[in-house]
Amino acid sequence: MDSTTQLMKDLLEVDGVPGFEGDVRQKVKGYLEPLSDEILYDRLGSVVGKKVGQADGPRVLLAGHLDEIGFMVTQITDKGFLRFQQLGGWWSHNVLSHRVKIKTKNGDILGIIGSKAPHVLAPEERTKLLQLKDMFIDVGAKNKEEVAEMGIRLGDPVTPVSDFFTMRNGELWGGKALDNRAGCGVAIEVLKRLQNEEHPNIVFSGATVQEEVGLRGAMTAANLVKPDIAFAVDVGIAYDTPGMESIPFTCNLGEGPIVLLMDATMIAHTGLRNLVIDTAEELDIPLQFDALMGGGTDAGRFHLHGIGCPTVSIGLATRYIHSHNGIMSSKDFEQTVELLTAVIKKLDQQKLQELID
């Protein structure tokens, strides 16, 4: 297994739903420390490595987000089943009968999100979408007392169970938390590329917390870093599967990084967007484009920092996001790292002023 694939395996298999990103933060910190002049944290748990090129250069923020979608235990029934609330957006079709881990004070407890056998479903139930509020987690307990003995408490986080895997001779990566450990991996790899390269700025590269529940860490991380320019690296939606034919955009696995032109939280900064496109053309890196009326990335908070921060969101086409198993291309990852490294090396004070003007 090559070092980049090992990095992704390490990042995907650690657990960290919104508000409970501590283990992921430690993993990312371990990768950032040897690459950074200093490690910085905000008070919610976001982490960035600081790398000074020129001390009087622009402050450039590059970040993925630590958190993955999951759940929280909010009720324990008398018969020992757990009710839960979602942390991040789930489609309930992706939930039933899947394995999960309850992260308790005594360690991890395996659970199954229960479902009825098809033999006992009423006709009207067979075509009905079961709501998350009607689901439950089975941890094998007989009653509420046994659940307490396991160490399970209200408020405990619940994460999907899914191991990292590869497909197509390692060309494709898969796992539960590509959204958005892929962005964390890009931030680490860009900082690694800059180790022996001159860059006319100060780079802050790392990851935020609680993106999936309202871009919360993006706001506190921006207050910490005070960026002049920012890049949010996240997954994008792959439209290359059956049922996506009516989508006007064509974002496919293995066909290059995605520039997000707009979403519900931000319109890409024109000057910075053009710099990314021009640099990709120079490097012969293919780009894909998307525009969404809903959803958002950390860029939606980054660009509002201070009096305004030129920001672009770069994505990696990913199938089956917000489920137990996503799939993305290692080639797209490599090209995103190459592109962002090259763009950052161009960002001096003169270029910043040109972007603003």
Side-chain angles (χ1 to χ4, degrees), residues 191-243:
L191 208 58
K192 184 184 297 184
R193 297 284 178 92
L194 291 172
Q195 291 306 292
N196 300 313
E197 299 278 353
E198 293 185 1
H199 55 99
N201 43 48
I202 308 170
V203 176
F204 298 85
S205 195
T208 66
V209 294
Q210 298 190 42
E211 190 270 355
E212 296 290 0
V213 290
L215 318 180
R216 297 170 186 174
M219 183 177 296
T220 53
N223 287 336
L224 172 72
V225 170
K226 298 178 173 57
D228 298 304
I229 299 166
F231 299 92
V233 188
D234 211 323
V235 297
I237 300 172
Y239 299 124
D240 56 0
T241 56

Side-chain angles (χ1 to χ4, degrees), residues 74-130:
T74 54
Q75 182 187 357
I76 302 170
T77 72
D78 290 340
K79 291 186 176 181
F81 296 101
L82 312 181
R83 300 286 187 178
F84 56 88
Q85 294 286 349
Q86 67 191 64
L87 295 174
W90 284 92
W91 188 33
S92 52
H93 268 276
N94 291 332
V95 176
L96 280 177
S97 296
H98 277 293
R99 292 184 298 162
V100 293
K101 278 185 285 188
I102 299 87
K103 312 289 288 186
T104 81
K105 61 186 178 68
N106 295 337
D108 294 347
I109 301 294
L110 182 66
I112 303 290
I113 297 180
S115 63
K116 287 184 179 180
H119 314 69
V120 297
L121 290 175
E124 63 272 14
E125 289 182 300
R126 294 177 180 272
T127 57
K128 179 182 177 182
L129 182 65
L130 188 64

Side-chain angles (χ1 to χ4, degrees), residues 7-14 27-28 181 184-185 188:
L7 166 67
M8 291 307 300
K9 176 178 169 61
D10 288 348
L11 294 178
L12 263 64
E13 291 188 345
V14 67
K27 182 73 71 174
V28 170
R181 308 292 161 66
C184 301
I188 291 166

Side-chain angles (χ1 to χ4, degrees), residues 136-287:
F136 58 87
I137 299 172
D138 184 345
V139 293
K142 294 180 180 179
N143 50 48
K144 182 181 290 188
E145 289 71 29
E146 283 197 1
V147 172
E149 289 172 7
M150 292 177 177
I152 298 173
R153 293 174 170 174
L154 299 182
D156 282 347
V158 180
T159 64
V161 172
S162 177
D163 294 332
F164 174 79
F165 61 91
T166 63
M167 302 173 73
R168 213 158 66 196
N169 296 318
E171 183 180 336
L172 302 181
W173 295 331
K176 66 176 175 59
L178 284 169
D179 184 5
N180 180 30
R181 308 292 161 66
C184 301
V186 168
I188 291 166
E189 287 295 313
V190 169
L191 208 58
K192 184 184 297 184
R193 297 284 178 92
L194 291 172
Q195 291 306 292
N196 300 313
E197 299 278 353
E198 293 185 1
H199 55 99
N201 43 48
I202 308 170
V203 176
F204 298 85
S205 195
T208 66
V209 294
Q210 298 190 42
E211 190 270 355
E212 296 290 0
V213 290
L215 318 180
R216 297 170 186 174
M219 183 177 296
T220 53
N223 287 336
L224 172 72
V225 170
K226 298 178 173 57
D228 298 304
I229 299 166
F231 299 92
V233 188
D234 211 323
V235 297
I237 300 172
Y239 299 124
D240 56 0
T241 56
M244 295 285 198
E245 292 82 4
S246 63
I247 304 295
F249 289 92
T250 54
C251 297
N252 304 325
L253 266 63
E255 296 188 10
I258 299 171
V259 175
L260 188 58
L261 302 174
M262 65 165 289
D263 60 28
T265 66
M266 192 195 77
I267 298 170
H269 184 274
T270 303
L272 189 57
R273 179 203 66 192
N274 290 340
L275 178 63
V276 170
I277 294 172
D278 292 344
T279 304
E281 290 178 353
E282 293 168 9
L283 297 173
D284 199 26
I285 293 175
L287 288 181

